Amino acid sequence: MYKKPESPPSMSNRVDSRKAVALGVSAVVCCHNGASRLPLTLAYLQKQCVPASLAWEVILVDNASNDGTAEVAKKVWQNAPKATLRIIREERLGLTIARERSLTEARYEIVTFVDDDNWVCDRWVQRVFEVMTEHPEVGACGGFSTAAPEVDLPLWFERYRNYYAVGPPLGESGDITESIGMLWGAGMTIRRTAWHHLTQGGFRFLTKLTGEDHELSMALRLSGWRLWLDRDLTMQHFMPAGRLSWAYFCKLQRSRNDILVDVDSYFFALRAHKSGGLKPAEVTWRSQMWGVLRALAINVVRRPTKTFFPLSKRFEGDPDVFRIESYKGRLQGLRRSRRNYAANIAAVIDAPWLVSDVDSEPKR
């Protein structure tokens, strides 16, 4: 099933073939009914310390909002405009759709995604520009985030903080392509050259509502670009009280693992690159469904109470419940994707934007 492209594009070809896009930074805020969250998010963007020589803009993608999101943004930005604010209306609901629209609309080569609950450091715009210009092999970069909770964090939060896009522990800057292997959508910065390379090769998101961060990270890796994590890119991630309940977290895991079924194709493609091929039995919908049903059946027998009553107060933070809820989400995703599961795998593994030297040294 897996085959290597006959003539993978070199890094120099990818850079030279890009469309004429000005060198600068487009900071993108995708927002659905975020009028209450926007003022603080925009306030942190208004505090950016950006040299006069660096061109940048702010794009607000108003994703089918009906709460006056656009009007609030205009009013806030008029108080201290640091750059041009452009508001783009996108009626098709979904974070993936909104971010894809912004990549089409952005005026500059470097596009950084700042969610409407992200409060970025005052050097964010300047630093993403520096990282992406100093490391031409990097297709996307990200940073470190800390929680800014509305109420006290639950005791179990630290164990699962990465599922809230909080962390990782502050470390050294560097290439994370083969270690962590992915970047969160919150605070992700992407090079439009890399995006154009993917789309010119026929890339289309399989995920529609969310989950595009997993998909995009792996697509960039498969097309030969590198991922970077930078210690000077820091932000606070606002956590409203409603998102800090165990019931919400369980729902989040079911939803997340449902969506990640659509990203199976990329995991298989990466495995194929590393091993040189895949056994057909490994990648069938039937084998995946059998695996998750077996896991759930074992938990029904061994942990029936946790399986059927995961929201019980005594199970808050329980790692068994976390795994069981993840299995439930994957089961839901497999049921949903039965008709297109094989087609999605074929579309990624045989995609023309893949290169054969994913695990080689970074190209410069």
Side-chain angles (χ1 to χ4, degrees):
M1 180 179 292
Y2 165 67
K3 67 177 183 180
K4 296 181 180 179
E6 295 179 359
S7 55
S10 67
M11 177 65 71
S12 59
N13 286 340
R14 278 178 277 167
V15 173
D16 293 340
S17 65
R18 70 183 181 185
K19 295 181 179 180
V21 180
L23 188 59
V25 177
S26 295
V28 174
V29 182
C30 297
C31 199
H32 171 67
N33 288 340
S36 63
R37 300 183 296 274
L38 267 179
L40 261 178
T41 301
L42 292 178
Y44 278 85
L45 285 172
Q46 287 173 323
K47 296 176 183 177
Q48 292 299 297
C49 299
V50 180
S53 59
L54 174 53
W56 69 293
E57 66 175 347
V58 175
I59 298 175
L60 174 72
V61 181
D62 182 0
N63 193 195
S65 301
N66 57 18
D67 67 343
T69 285
E71 290 70 24
V72 168
K74 290 177 185 176
K75 184 176 180 180
V76 171
W77 201 253
Q78 286 171 355
N79 294 333
K82 280 293 189 77
T84 301
L85 171 67
R86 290 198 290 138
I87 299 176
I88 298 167
R89 179 78 177 182
E90 175 54 67
E91 296 291 353
R92 297 170 300 161
L93 186 60
L95 183 57
T96 301
I97 293 169
R99 285 180 173 162
E100 190 169 18
R101 174 72 183 277
S102 73
L103 285 163
T104 302
E105 299 283 351
R107 290 173 178 163
Y108 297 116
E109 165 73 344
I110 300 166
V111 180
T112 186
F113 294 114
V114 180
D115 286 354
D116 61 11
D117 55 4
N118 296 162
W119 306 338
V120 295
C121 66
D122 60 7
R123 290 191 66 248
W124 187 275
V125 170
Q126 181 180 355
R127 186 56 190 157
V128 296
F129 180 81
E130 292 170 350
V131 169
M132 299 301 272
T133 52
E134 291 169 5
H135 301 280
E137 76 282 3
V138 171
C141 72
F144 297 82
S145 67
T146 56
E150 186 177 31
V151 296
D152 290 340
L153 291 171
L155 295 177
W156 48 263
F157 182 85
E158 185 64 20
R159 179 194 292 268
Y160 303 111
R161 65 179 181 176
N162 57 312
Y163 297 99
Y164 282 91
V166 170
L170 189 62
E172 295 301 317
S173 302
D175 188 317
I176 62 160
T177 312
E178 307 303 332
S179 53
I180 299 175
M182 72 154 288
L183 297 165
W184 290 313
M188 177 189 284
T189 298
I190 183 170
R191 190 186 304 276
R192 284 193 69 191
T193 296
W195 174 249
H196 285 315
H197 167 63
L198 288 174
T199 55
Q200 293 301 310
F203 172 83
R204 296 293 183 272
F205 279 114
L206 299 178
T207 53
K208 298 300 180 185
L209 296 178
T210 186
E212 85 295 335
D213 48 3
H214 285 76
E215 187 171 1
L216 188 53
S217 293
M218 287 188 281
L220 288 170
R221 290 172 61 188
L222 285 163
S223 60
W225 293 91
R226 311 297 292 182
L227 305 180
W228 184 274
L229 197 62
D230 197 85
R231 65 173 292 117
D232 292 326
L233 291 173
T234 60
M235 70 178 183
Q236 299 177 69
H237 195 167
F238 174 64
M239 298 285 155
R243 295 184 63 194
L244 294 172
S245 71
W246 184 242
Y248 174 87
F249 181 71
C250 288
K251 180 181 178 181
L252 179 67
Q253 288 318 298
R254 291 193 297 270
S255 175
R256 173 179 171 273
N257 283 276
D258 177 346
I259 292 165
L260 284 180
V261 169
D262 294 330
V263 189
D264 279 4
S265 309
Y266 295 88
F267 287 111
F268 293 142
L270 285 168
R271 190 189 306 171
H273 267 288
K274 292 178 183 297
S275 64
L278 291 170
K279 297 178 181 178
E282 291 181 309
V283 297
T284 64
W285 179 89
R286 189 182 298 274
S287 66
Q288 297 300 313
M289 177 61 84
W290 170 248
V292 74
L293 286 174
R294 182 176 182 275
L296 278 172
I298 290 172
N299 279 284
V300 167
V301 173
R302 296 180 179 176
R303 306 172 185 91
T305 308
K306 293 180 180 180
T307 302
F308 295 111
F309 303 99
L311 304 185
S312 172
K313 187 75 174 177
R314 61 192 174 117
F315 295 145
E316 285 197 12
D318 191 297
D320 290 333
V321 172
F322 165 75
R323 284 191 295 271
I324 293 167
E325 293 301 288
S326 298
Y327 291 141
K328 291 177 183 177
R330 182 160 178 80
L331 176 62
Q332 181 175 316
L334 285 167
R335 293 177 61 184
R336 171 183 52 80
S337 65
R338 180 173 185 172
R339 292 184 179 180
N340 57 10
Y341 193 80
N344 285 347
I345 293 173
V348 173
I349 288 183
D350 296 331
W353 44 263
L354 266 68
V355 296
S356 59
D357 56 347
V358 170
D359 296 318
S360 65
E361 290 297 312
K363 307 177 183 64
R364 297 183 183 275

